[in-house]
Amino acid sequence: NNNNDNNRRRVSYIYPPEVLTTPAEISQCIQQSMNITWQNQIKSLLATNRIRKEPITNMVAFTISDYSYASDMMHDVFQMNDEIVGFDDSFFMMALDESTMEMACRYGYPAVAWHTDNEKEQPRDDNINISKLKHDVAHTKFEVSLLLVTLGIDFFFYEMDVWFLTSPKELIADYHHSDKNNPQDMLLSAHTKDPQSVNIGVYSVSSNQRTIEFFQLCIQMTRESPATHDQWIMSQLLLLAWTIHQNGSPGVQFNRMWYPPPQHNPPSMKFPPVYGTYNTNEVQAGEYLLPARSA
């Protein structure tokens, strides 16, 4: 009835003011991003101090989104990043489609348009069932990671469906910088129900020879096995690194969940990275939340 309608809680959304308000301004912003390689867009963000290293971690941060996420989450993610995660002025978004880039242009968010004409980055077999989104997410994650470490930039990555309750900066800084004699290269989340299994929705990386080679191998495996889940690729390469550290040799071949099996099995890893995972009470990856300390 009318009384119930009048008493119903009304929900309103307050978005930041539009920075570019005319269609011409927005169109120019989009065209500029589409005419510049994604690599040079990132370099420009860094060179102009549009994004800068966060001082506690000495890192920049990024996420990846298409419009299915960005349409109703872009504002929330940038606000969470600034007010909770603590990477304000150090965070950018990789936009996987023009609609996401248009929204970033309209509201003035630091964003980079992902686009590539590199045929090597396309699936090698048209019969392999792989969505364009899955392909772009995997390549974007690994390619941007490689570019940053090649530029000597330490970084923190988290996906759009990760929500923080408190800032992880102290944990990140402690892991990467507390022991100068024993450098730690990568810190990743783990599955709550399987703490030995990494989850690549959250990870931080120190730039060095080991992480450069690691992300080169991630890209190589993605090209050789394009329908294999990016998380499986990364976890198997981390397992390869652990085996080399423990045994001095690569150990066994990759033998399951590779679609198709990679040509180099296992690939040559000369500089295995040192990695660790968050405690599952700090960062959780799973369907059900448990009491947590950080995220």
Side-chain angles (χ1 to χ4, degrees):
N1 58 38
N2 290 335
N3 288 334
N4 287 338
D5 289 340
N6 291 333
N7 293 330
R8 186 175 297 153
R9 180 175 180 267
R10 298 186 182 278
V11 177
S12 62
Y13 299 92
I14 301 175
Y15 295 130
E18 295 181 355
V19 175
L20 301 180
T21 56
T22 70
E25 290 175 321
I26 297 170
S27 178
Q28 182 181 19
C29 175
I30 296 170
Q31 288 303 313
Q32 287 177 342
S33 65
M34 297 305 295
N35 291 332
I36 302 173
T37 65
W38 65 266
Q39 295 94 329
N40 283 338
Q41 292 176 66
I42 291 177
K43 291 176 183 177
S44 177
L45 288 177
L46 294 166
T48 59
N49 283 329
R50 182 77 191 281
I51 59 169
R52 56 181 68 93
K53 294 180 180 179
E54 190 283 321
I56 294 176
T57 60
N58 198 38
M59 293 180 174
V60 302
F62 77 97
T63 192
I64 301 169
S65 185
D66 70 341
Y67 196 66
S68 66
Y69 277 93
S71 59
D72 63 354
M73 290 173 60
M74 181 181 288
H75 301 296
D76 296 321
V77 167
F78 273 92
Q79 181 179 9
M80 176 187 69
N81 177 79
D82 290 356
E83 297 180 2
I84 299 175
V85 186
F87 277 79
D88 45 311
D89 297 324
S90 304
F91 176 72
F92 66 97
M93 175 178 288
M94 293 297 302
L96 296 182
D97 51 45
E98 187 171 320
S99 296
T100 303
M101 194 67 210
E102 177 183 0
M103 191 173 177
C105 285
R106 183 184 301 275
Y107 290 97
Y109 292 127
V112 170
W114 168 259
H115 53 87
T116 177
D117 297 322
N118 190 343
E119 293 182 357
K120 291 190 299 182
E121 294 186 6
Q122 301 303 316
R124 69 181 184 188
D125 187 342
D126 291 336
N127 295 319
I128 294 173
N129 183 19
I130 177 173
S131 70
K132 182 180 185 300
L133 177 60
K134 179 182 176 183
H135 170 266
D136 284 350
V137 168
H139 272 283
T140 307
K141 187 179 298 180
F142 294 152
E143 292 276 4
V144 174
S145 296
L146 176 59
L147 176 66
L148 291 173
V149 293
T150 301
L151 294 173
I153 304 292
D154 300 350
F155 70 89
F156 177 49
F157 167 78
Y158 60 91
E159 293 184 341
M160 286 284 286
D161 58 355
V162 176
W163 297 99
F164 291 85
L165 304 180
T166 60
S167 174
K169 291 192 303 184
E170 297 292 345
L171 289 171
I172 294 171
D174 182 67
Y175 178 82
H176 285 277
H177 305 305
S178 63
D179 189 348
K180 300 298 183 182
N181 296 322
N182 295 290
Q184 306 294 314
D185 301 320
M186 304 175 66
L187 178 63
L188 307 96
S189 56
H191 289 280
T192 303
K193 292 185 177 181
D194 183 10
Q196 301 302 314
S197 175
V198 300
N199 179 285
I200 65 170
V202 177
Y203 60 88
S204 54
V205 179
S206 294
S207 169
N208 54 49
Q209 189 178 37
R210 295 181 295 276
T211 55
I212 290 173
E213 181 191 51
F214 179 82
F215 285 110
Q216 288 172 337
L217 291 176
C218 286
I219 294 167
Q220 177 184 330
M221 292 294 97
T222 303
R223 290 171 178 164
E224 293 184 6
S225 188
T228 301
H229 198 287
D230 57 349
Q231 183 163 270
W232 186 249
I233 289 174
M234 198 162 167
S235 66
Q236 290 296 286
L237 289 174
L238 289 170
L239 179 60
L240 175 63
W242 181 87
T243 304
I244 294 172
H245 280 298
Q246 294 295 311
N247 303 329
S249 63
V252 299
Q253 292 183 321
F254 303 146
N255 59 9
R256 64 187 182 93
M257 296 176 62
W258 290 86
Y259 310 106
Q263 297 170 354
H264 298 83
N265 186 3
S268 174
M269 182 181 286
K270 297 179 180 178
F271 311 105
V274 178
Y275 73 96
T277 59
Y278 290 94
N279 186 296
T280 53
N281 287 324
E282 295 170 339
V283 177
Q284 295 183 21
E287 298 178 3
Y288 305 102
L289 290 177
L290 299 173
R293 189 155 62 88
S294 290

